[in-house]
Amino acid sequence: LRSLEDIPALCSSRVSFDTLLSICSHNYRLRIRKTLPEHKKKIPDRIQRYLKGQSIVDIAFAEDFSPVLLARQILEYHFKLSKDEISAHIKDTQSVADEELARDLQACIDSDSFYSPDS
C-alpha cells in the first residue's frame, strides 16, 4: 500500500476501506519520517525550483514527498516564518497576502491526503 489508489482494489468483506486507509497512512508517514533527513538536504534546491516557477505540488510529487510538508519547509526556510505562522497559513490559506502562494498552498492541501489539515 503506497497510495490511496491502491485501496479500492484491496477492499474485501474481510478488510474494510478504513482499515486499509489506516495502514496506507501509517506506511506513508513512516516512509516520510525515515527519509526526512534526505529531504531536508534538498531544501535549497527545492526553493530554487519553486522560485523558478515550479509549483510546490509538482516538486513534491517529483521528489516523492508530501506537498504539505514541502510547503511548510518553503515557508520556514525561504519566507522565514515561524512554526505558528506556518500552521496558521496552512489552516487558512486566505490569510496569505500573496495570492499565488495562497493558491499553491491550497493545491498542496488538496493533493495531500495524509499531511493536510483536512486529513
Side-chain angles (χ1 to χ4, degrees), residues 28-45:
Y28 182 81
R29 288 173 183 266
L30 186 62
R31 183 172 49 83
I32 292 295
R33 264 187 252 128
K34 283 183 178 179
T35 60
L36 197 56
E38 294 171 36
H39 288 288
K40 282 191 175 188
K41 292 176 188 172
K42 298 178 182 180
I43 292 171
D45 172 64

Side-chain angles (χ1 to χ4, degrees), residues 72 75 81-91 95:
R72 287 180 167 280
L75 291 172
L81 298 180
S82 71
K83 302 241 188 247
D84 288 341
E85 291 170 314
I86 293 167
S87 292
H89 287 327
I90 295 290
K91 288 177 185 169
S95 68

Side-chain angles (χ1 to χ4, degrees), residues 50-85:
Y50 171 73
L51 294 175
K52 289 180 181 175
Q54 193 172 3
S55 76
I56 298 172
V57 171
D58 288 344
I59 297 167
F61 285 163
E63 298 288 335
D64 194 25
F65 192 60
S66 159
V68 169
L69 292 183
L70 180 56
R72 287 180 167 280
Q73 290 175 341
I74 290 172
L75 291 172
E76 180 180 356
Y77 292 99
H78 177 65
F79 292 98
K80 308 294 186 207
L81 298 180
S82 71
K83 302 241 188 247
D84 288 341
E85 291 170 314

